[in-house]
Amino acid sequence: MDLFLQLADTVPDALRGPWKVLYAKVLEEPELWATPQVTVDEHEAGELSPGWHINETALRKAWPRLVSSVFLC
């Protein structure tokens, strides 16, 4: 799961085959994503926000269900 998380958050285009299907399922579930949190001061200072990324805790909870939906067809 850790390797999938790193790839999905940084270079999702590198995922192939069933891993790409798994990523598509993750994309469909908004609760698996953490929204960027930027304060007004940070925004005005021009600091970059971390951007959208997968919520690791939520992914860990959903992981067995997601994996089984792709690999145990």
Side-chain angles (χ1 to χ4, degrees):
M1 191 209 81
D2 293 327
L3 180 58
F4 172 82
L5 178 62
Q6 286 184 344
L7 285 172
D9 262 350
T10 56
V11 284
D13 292 338
L15 298 168
R16 299 284 184 258
W19 297 104
K20 190 171 188 165
V21 174
L22 181 62
Y23 181 68
K25 290 184 175 287
V26 170
L27 285 174
E28 293 174 353
E29 297 192 25
E31 64 275 1
L32 295 179
W33 291 87
T35 57
Q37 302 294 321
V38 179
T39 66
V40 173
D41 292 334
E42 290 171 336
H43 179 71
E44 288 176 351
E47 294 179 22
L48 296 175
S49 69
W52 288 88
H53 62 276
I54 298 173
N55 179 326
E56 184 177 352
T57 303
L59 181 63
R60 283 198 188 284
K61 290 179 184 175
W63 187 250
R65 174 181 53 81
L66 292 167
V67 169
S68 66
S69 73
V70 173
F71 291 96
L72 299 176
C73 297

